């Protein structure tokens, strides 16, 4: 149910006809070194997600709606909701970001994942965090990078600088070095070392008491 809940978390509601269209936001990734590439992505409901953008009660209501569709037995439905809520009541985690190239079928993509973090280890405010590829610890965020069909992993810890993280959305910058991920590519993939930097400014598009402020 976790992946279903994550999708549900990012669903938007319709905007009244007379209201101004929501700010879409954007992201950009710049790659130098063994690969020279710059790509940008649009904002929208799949670009950024955070459990900070919904209250605990709102997350519970979302789980209840999901289980109401998937489970007919009331007792099992209630047990499923309670299991998903747990002590933290997390859905997608405190922070997930995606920057996907608008050109070509998945020509380039960059993602930041919550990993083992909670809303306490990644609080709802500006901050600086370490980026890693795998085996992240609380306070660290996982990174996935794919360029022209090749996966890359960080060759050293990177830095994520969040300059704004509130009910309006999230903005910041990131930098790291990476190299071809030998274990996740074909045997003949050329090993390349790259430097990556970028920025993002993405709004919260959730209909919630937090993002409506």
């Amino acid at each position: 149910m976790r992946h279903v809940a994550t999708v549900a978390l990012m669903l938007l509601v319709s905007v009244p006809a007379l209201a101004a269209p929501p700010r879409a936001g954007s992201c950009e990734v710049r790659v130098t070194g063994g690969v020279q590439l710059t790509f940008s992505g649009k904002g929208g409901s799949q670009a950024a997600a955070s459990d900070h953008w919904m209250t605990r009660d709102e997350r519970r209501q979302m789980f209840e709606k999901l289980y109401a569709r998937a489970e007919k037995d009331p007792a099992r439905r209630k047990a499923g909701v309670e299991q998903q809520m747990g002590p933290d009541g997390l859905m997608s985690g405190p922070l997930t970001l995606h920057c996907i190239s608008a050109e070509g079928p998945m020509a380039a993509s960059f993602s930041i994942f919550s990993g083992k973090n909670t809303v306490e280890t990644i609080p709802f405010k500006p901050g600086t965090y370490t980026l890693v590829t795998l085996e992240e610890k609380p306070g660290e965020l996982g990174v996935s990078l794919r360029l022209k069909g090749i996966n890359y992993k960080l060759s050293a810890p990177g830095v994520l600088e969040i300059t704004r993280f509130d009910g309006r959305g999230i903005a910041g910058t990131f930098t790291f070095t990476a190299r071809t991920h030998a274990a996740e590519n074909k045997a003949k993939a050329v090993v390349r070392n790259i430097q990556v930097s970028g920025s993002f400014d993405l709004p919260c598009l959730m209909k919630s008491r937090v993002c409506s402020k």
Side-chain angles (χ1 to χ4, degrees), residues 10 15-16 20 44 72 88 102 109 137 167 170 186 188 194 201:
M10 298 185 289
V15 179
K72 295 181 179 180
D88 300 311
S109 63
K137 302 174 183 177
I170 186 168
K186 295 181 179 180
K188 295 183 179 180
I194 59 175
D201 186 354

Side-chain angles (χ1 to χ4, degrees), residues 19-31:
R23 180 174 63 88
S26 63
C27 58
E28 182 179 76
V29 179
R30 299 175 291 277
V31 184

Side-chain angles (χ1 to χ4, degrees), residues 123-202:
F124 198 33
K125 62 182 180 180
T128 301
Y129 302 96
T130 299
L131 299 175
V132 297
T133 294
L134 294 171
E135 299 180 357
E136 64 274 7
K137 302 174 183 177
E140 299 177 341
L141 292 160
V143 167
S144 173
L145 178 66
R146 185 174 176 85
L147 306 173
K148 299 181 178 180
I150 301 296
N151 295 309
Y152 290 80
K153 67 176 180 178
L154 274 65
S155 52
V159 177
L160 171 69
E161 181 75 29
I162 298 177
T163 56
R164 176 171 58 80
F165 192 13
D166 54 27
R168 297 172 298 161
I170 186 168
T173 60
F174 53 86
T175 58
F176 60 88
T177 58
R179 67 181 304 168
T180 307
H181 198 322
E184 293 190 7
N185 292 295
K186 295 181 179 180
K188 295 183 179 180
V190 177
V191 176
R192 304 180 189 277
N193 293 296
I194 59 175
Q195 295 79 48
V196 182
S197 63
S199 60
F200 54 91
D201 186 354
L202 302 167

Side-chain angles (χ1 to χ4, degrees), residues 8-208:
L9 174 65
M10 298 185 289
L11 294 177
L12 302 180
V13 296
S14 59
V15 179
L18 298 180
R23 180 174 63 88
S26 63
C27 58
E28 182 179 76
V29 179
R30 299 175 291 277
V31 184
T32 58
V35 176
Q36 302 287 325
L37 176 67
T38 296
F39 67 93
S40 58
K42 297 180 180 179
S45 61
Q46 297 185 22
S50 173
D51 286 334
H52 286 296
W53 286 335
M54 298 182 78
T55 66
R56 184 178 175 85
D57 286 343
E58 288 171 331
R59 294 197 294 271
R60 176 180 288 278
Q61 291 170 12
M62 186 68 75
F63 281 130
E64 289 174 345
K65 290 179 180 179
L66 289 169
Y67 274 91
R69 300 171 184 172
E71 180 58 68
K72 295 181 179 180
D73 182 82
R76 291 183 178 180
R77 185 164 62 239
K78 181 179 180 180
V81 171
E82 294 306 321
Q83 181 179 7
Q84 287 287 342
M85 286 299 294
D88 300 311
L90 298 180
M91 295 188 75
S92 63
L95 179 60
T96 301
L97 299 174
H98 299 292
C99 190
I100 300 174
S101 171
E103 298 180 2
M106 293 290 289
S109 63
F110 166 75
S111 297
I112 293 177
F113 299 102
S114 292
K116 300 177 181 179
N117 288 290
T118 67
V119 292
E120 284 74 32
T121 58
I122 305 293
F124 198 33
K125 62 182 180 180
T128 301
Y129 302 96
T130 299
L131 299 175
V132 297
T133 294
L134 294 171
E135 299 180 357
E136 64 274 7
K137 302 174 183 177
E140 299 177 341
L141 292 160
V143 167
S144 173
L145 178 66
R146 185 174 176 85
L147 306 173
K148 299 181 178 180
I150 301 296
N151 295 309
Y152 290 80
K153 67 176 180 178
L154 274 65
S155 52
V159 177
L160 171 69
E161 181 75 29
I162 298 177
T163 56
R164 176 171 58 80
F165 192 13
D166 54 27
R168 297 172 298 161
I170 186 168
T173 60
F174 53 86
T175 58
F176 60 88
T177 58
R179 67 181 304 168
T180 307
H181 198 322
E184 293 190 7
N185 292 295
K186 295 181 179 180
K188 295 183 179 180
V190 177
V191 176
R192 304 180 189 277
N193 293 296
I194 59 175
Q195 295 79 48
V196 182
S197 63
S199 60
F200 54 91
D201 186 354
L202 302 167
C204 174
L205 299 177
M206 292 295 302
K207 183 184 178 181
S208 69

